Amino acid sequence: MADIDVAQVADAEVAELVRAEVDFRWPEGVAGLDEVARYGLVPFGKMMGPWLLIRSSLAVGGEIRPVLPAAVAVECIQVGAMMHDDIIDGDPQRRGKPAAHAVFGTPTAVVGGDGLFFHGFAALSECGKAGVPAARVGRALTVLSEAGLRIGSAAVEEIRMGRTICSVEKYLAMIKDKSGALLWMACGVGATLAGADESSVAALRRYSDLLGIGYQIRDDMMAYDGTRAGKPNVSDVRNGRPTLPVLLAHRRAPRDRQRVIERLLADTASPAEERHDAMAELVHEFDGIRSAREMSHRYVRMAAMALNDLPPTEHRTALIELTVPGRLV
Amino acid sequence: MADIDVAQVADAEVAELVRAEVDFRWPEGVAGLDEVARYGLVPFGKMMGPWLLIRSSLAVGGEIRPVLPAAVAVECIQVGAMMHDDIIDGDPQRRGKPAAHAVFGTPTAVVGGDGLFFHGFAALSECGKAGVPAARVGRALTVLSEAGLRIGSAAVEEIRMGRTICSVEKYLAMIKDKSGALLWMACGVGATLAGADESSVAALRRYSDLLGIGYQIRDDMMAYDGTRAGKPNVSDVRNGRPTLPVLLAHRRAPRDRQRVIERLLADTASPAEERHDAMAELVHEFDGIRSAREMSHRYVRMAAMALNDLPPTEHRTALIELTVPGRLV
């Protein structure tokens, strides 16, 4: 297999490599569990996980080829988690097409998500054959499974927090595990597979946690300020999710308007579109979007600073560029 | 940590060790995702997975302590899969108490099952710290994840096969992946962690696949012939599962009675208890139970013979004893 000139690899090429790898593993026409996996994986998403994994690996002196199976692994696990999220949230759309549970039925989508998790760990184990020393695969296994546990804990927490107002601090702690751990899964696996030292691993951990918070706030904002690609805007309100723009607006609103926000979150009866529009109006009236945007900027700036402990390479630069508002979606 | 005298370890002690380990990791009163995990794990089941893992490891020259985290791992993964099965089958009971989805709600039970999978892989990764060489952990990771994929494939297949008659051969192939892979997950991980050679690994693979088929047939029979502990007997008929006793009875029945069996499988309207009783009568009338029992015996006998390639130790004897009809539940 011809090796890739690391210095020459542009972002688009990284994504293309992972896409080719996924397409090779789950070619068009696969059946059974693999058909469900391919349905979730293709059309491809932003490939942020694989991109972060590969860049993190390169940033600590690694190479692309040996970690390519792990890049597929984090994509599998993210897509599996989304498949289950869509069941939980009752979201009928994903990546611009019907969600897996809407096509295959909920039972098959439950098993399909499970299958993607196991595919992820199977792909990780291939890194050993691809030349990564076994001890590094073991370290990456710890990172991957513990990150998955953080994401699961956040999901349980998020379900419990539904339909009520909580403190901003509690919400930030939840999304640190929900989205920070998702990015950490990628950065941490990439770095440990490349044999990174503890200080680089710790820098990437701070980076991914902070970037994940910033990323999630941006995602929360989109429900009230713009169009979320392929996902209905009303999902958060329909599911009574107290996202950051709502919590920040609630904090600024007078008591009587706070009560309206609380009622909209708790309401399960009136049409979701109606509730969404009323909530969006309140979020804007009490500056929820502007305050959330400021917080998001603050977190991604801190994420960039966290990388000071990494060696100054073009890959560190690429990771820092991801924190520039506008790049991050 | 005091080491355990392998030769002295009786079956009950193996189970006790694993129980203590689970109880230590998820003590009473844990919250969030861990509360769901503990709910699924405790009260303890038969601990067949952990038992098989430890015995397989000992049978190829391994020790207990280093593989104990992996014994917890296979229990986690089995319980996670059952949590999702109960959602899929709409079974309200498990291990004599309400199923997790009935207590925590379906969304939390979906995430709870996911969490148990990630706990499983996290526990496997601990074997490295417990003294297992990293290359063996890597081999075990491949076995664990690929066995999980076989189980997932069988689950998708089983959902698709629902409510219709299929060939006995097709059914046996499905349960080889459904139950054979579950036992193989335990035997294979135990053997690879202990550094087993290829011939021992292959012997345990044949053993677990054959034993799994025998085990599943026995489980299928219990729906029509006895009481399945903690699981409603009517579940198979309610879900239109064409299990082996039904398929064998169908094969012997005259055309008009075959049509009745087919209608009972396809029926989703009349009360499940009623359909179950009618199906049980047909299964008995056309010798479905007796033929299934014979097949089950044949498979477990073959499982015992598969172990001829293992070194003759008391652990091999213990594995063979599991195939004695009556021991196997």
Side-chain angles (χ1 to χ4, degrees):
Chain A
M1 208 183 297
D3 216 52
I4 302 153
D5 182 351
V6 162
Q8 299 297 317
V9 174
D11 289 0
E13 287 172 83
V14 169
E16 197 43 50
L17 272 172
V18 181
R19 283 190 199 113
E21 192 70 24
V22 168
D23 210 49
F24 173 75
R25 285 155 189 259
W26 296 277
E28 219 174 306
V30 282
L33 187 63
D34 281 331
E35 183 189 353
V36 188
R38 183 177 164 92
Y39 187 86
L41 290 161
V42 182
F44 300 106
K46 289 164 282 178
M47 290 282 175
M48 191 166 171
W51 186 93
L52 280 172
L53 186 143
I54 289 171
R55 282 290 172 204
S56 299
S57 194
L58 297 171
V60 298
E63 290 169 26
I64 293 186
R65 283 282 176 211
V67 304
L68 208 45
V72 173
V74 297
E75 182 69 6
C76 284
I77 288 176
Q78 184 180 348
V79 169
M82 292 190 314
M83 209 174 267
H84 286 179
D85 277 350
D86 289 341
I87 294 170
I88 290 168
D89 292 342
D91 282 339
Q93 294 272 113
R94 171 66 71 177
R95 288 184 179 175
K97 62 177 186 177
H101 65 92
V103 174
F104 299 100
T106 296
T108 299
V110 169
V111 179
D114 295 350
L116 281 158
F117 296 146
F118 284 100
H119 268 305
F121 285 101
L124 177 68
S125 84
E126 287 175 35
C127 291
K129 282 159 240 154
V132 178
R136 293 182 187 177
V137 176
R139 244 176 117 198
L141 173 61
T142 306
V143 170
L144 189 60
S145 48
E146 290 182 352
L149 285 172
R150 283 178 61 200
I151 296 169
S153 293
V156 167
E157 185 66 14
E158 190 172 30
I159 293 166
R160 293 202 177 160
M161 278 162 48
R163 310 221 166 271
T164 53
I165 291 290
C166 65
S167 73
V168 168
E169 292 63 37
K170 194 173 171 188
Y171 182 75
L172 292 173
M174 188 276 287
I175 64 173
K176 182 177 164 188
D177 277 340
K178 176 183 169 177
S179 302
L182 194 64
L183 305 192
W184 163 240
M185 182 181 274
C187 296
V189 168
T192 50
L193 287 176
D197 58 30
E198 283 310 319
S199 119
S200 297
V201 169
L204 284 163
R205 169 72 190 251
R206 285 194 305 281
Y207 166 80
S208 47
D209 279 355
L210 293 163
L211 188 63
I213 295 174
Y215 174 92
Q216 185 58 51
I217 296 174
R218 196 71 59 96
D219 199 59
D220 288 352
M221 285 160 51
M222 272 188 244
Y224 300 106
D225 189 36
T227 313
R228 202 184 290 190
K231 214 188 167 186
N233 270 344
V234 299
S235 173
D236 284 344
V237 171
R238 194 187 63 236
N239 289 295
R241 299 260 178 265
T243 60
L244 193 67
V246 172
L247 296 175
L248 291 172
H250 184 270
R251 206 148 76 167
R252 279 173 174 254
R255 191 68 197 105
D256 65 316
R257 310 305 279 160
Q258 286 187 329
R259 289 221 184 84
V260 179
I261 293 175
E262 288 157 23
R263 269 202 303 273
L264 283 169
L265 271 186
D267 185 0
T268 56
S270 33
E273 301 278 352
E274 221 168 79
R275 276 181 281 151
H276 173 79
D277 292 347
M279 186 69 95
E281 207 163 294
L282 285 160
V283 162
H284 282 281
E285 183 178 349
F286 297 104
D287 252 2
I289 290 294
R290 202 185 46 77
S291 320
R293 184 176 296 115
E294 275 167 20
M295 281 186 78
S296 166
H297 287 184
R298 216 156 48 234
Y299 276 101
V300 297
R301 269 200 306 275
M302 289 193 287
M305 285 189 295
L307 294 186
N308 286 342
D309 286 348
L310 281 192
T313 64
E314 55 165 323
H315 307 296
R316 183 179 77 164
T317 306
L319 289 167
I320 291 174
E321 273 171 11
L322 199 66
T323 68
V324 176
R327 274 288 321 249
L328 181 79
V329 174
Chain B
M1 207 183 296
D3 216 54
I4 302 153
D5 183 351
V6 163
Q8 299 298 318
V9 174
D11 289 359
E13 286 171 84
V14 168
E16 196 44 49
L17 272 173
V18 181
R19 282 190 201 111
E21 192 70 25
V22 168
D23 211 48
F24 174 76
R25 285 157 189 258
W26 296 276
E28 218 173 309
V30 282
L33 187 63
D34 281 332
E35 183 190 354
V36 188
R38 183 176 165 94
Y39 187 86
L41 290 162
V42 182
F44 301 106
K46 288 164 283 179
M47 290 283 175
M48 192 166 170
W51 186 93
L52 280 171
L53 186 143
I54 289 170
R55 283 290 173 203
S56 299
S57 194
L58 296 171
V60 298
E63 289 169 26
I64 293 186
R65 284 280 177 214
V67 303
L68 208 45
V72 174
V74 297
E75 182 68 7
C76 284
I77 288 176
Q78 184 179 349
V79 169
M82 291 191 314
M83 209 174 266
H84 286 178
D85 276 351
D86 289 341
I87 294 170
I88 291 167
D89 292 342
D91 282 339
Q93 294 272 114
R94 170 67 70 177
R95 290 185 177 173
K97 64 177 185 177
H101 66 92
V103 174
F104 299 101
T106 296
T108 298
V110 169
V111 179
D114 295 351
L116 282 158
F117 296 146
F118 284 100
H119 268 305
F121 284 101
L124 177 68
S125 84
E126 287 174 36
C127 291
K129 282 159 240 155
V132 178
R136 294 183 186 176
V137 177
R139 244 176 117 197
L141 173 60
T142 305
V143 169
L144 189 59
S145 48
E146 290 183 351
L149 285 173
R150 283 178 61 200
I151 295 168
S153 293
V156 168
E157 184 68 13
E158 190 171 30
I159 293 167
R160 294 204 176 159
M161 278 163 48
R163 309 220 165 273
T164 52
I165 291 291
C166 64
S167 72
V168 168
E169 292 66 34
K170 194 174 169 187
Y171 182 75
L172 292 173
M174 188 276 287
I175 63 174
K176 182 176 164 188
D177 277 341
K178 176 182 167 176
S179 302
L182 193 65
L183 305 192
W184 163 241
M185 181 182 275
C187 296
V189 169
T192 50
L193 286 177
D197 59 29
E198 283 310 319
S199 120
S200 297
V201 169
L204 284 163
R205 169 72 190 251
R206 285 195 305 280
Y207 165 81
S208 47
D209 279 354
L210 292 163
L211 188 64
I213 295 174
Y215 174 91
Q216 185 58 51
I217 297 174
R218 197 71 60 94
D219 198 59
D220 288 352
M221 285 159 51
M222 272 186 243
Y224 301 106
D225 189 35
T227 312
R228 203 186 288 191
K231 213 189 165 185
N233 271 343
V234 299
S235 173
D236 285 344
V237 169
R238 193 188 62 236
N239 288 294
R241 298 260 180 265
T243 60
L244 194 68
V246 172
L247 296 175
L248 292 172
H250 184 269
R251 205 149 77 167
R252 280 174 173 252
R255 191 68 198 104
D256 65 314
R257 311 304 280 158
Q258 286 187 331
R259 289 222 181 82
V260 179
I261 293 175
E262 289 157 23
R263 269 201 303 272
L264 283 169
L265 271 186
D267 185 359
T268 56
S270 31
E273 300 278 350
E274 219 169 79
R275 278 180 280 152
H276 173 81
D277 292 348
M279 186 69 94
E281 207 164 292
L282 286 160
V283 162
H284 282 281
E285 184 178 348
F286 296 104
D287 251 3
I289 291 294
R290 203 185 45 77
S291 319
R293 184 177 295 114
E294 275 168 18
M295 280 187 77
S296 166
H297 287 183
R298 216 154 49 234
Y299 277 99
V300 296
R301 270 201 305 276
M302 289 193 288
M305 285 190 293
L307 293 186
N308 285 343
D309 286 348
L310 281 192
T313 64
E314 55 165 322
H315 307 295
R316 183 179 76 164
T317 306
L319 289 167
I320 290 173
E321 273 171 12
L322 198 67
T323 68
V324 176
R327 275 286 323 248
L328 182 78
V329 175

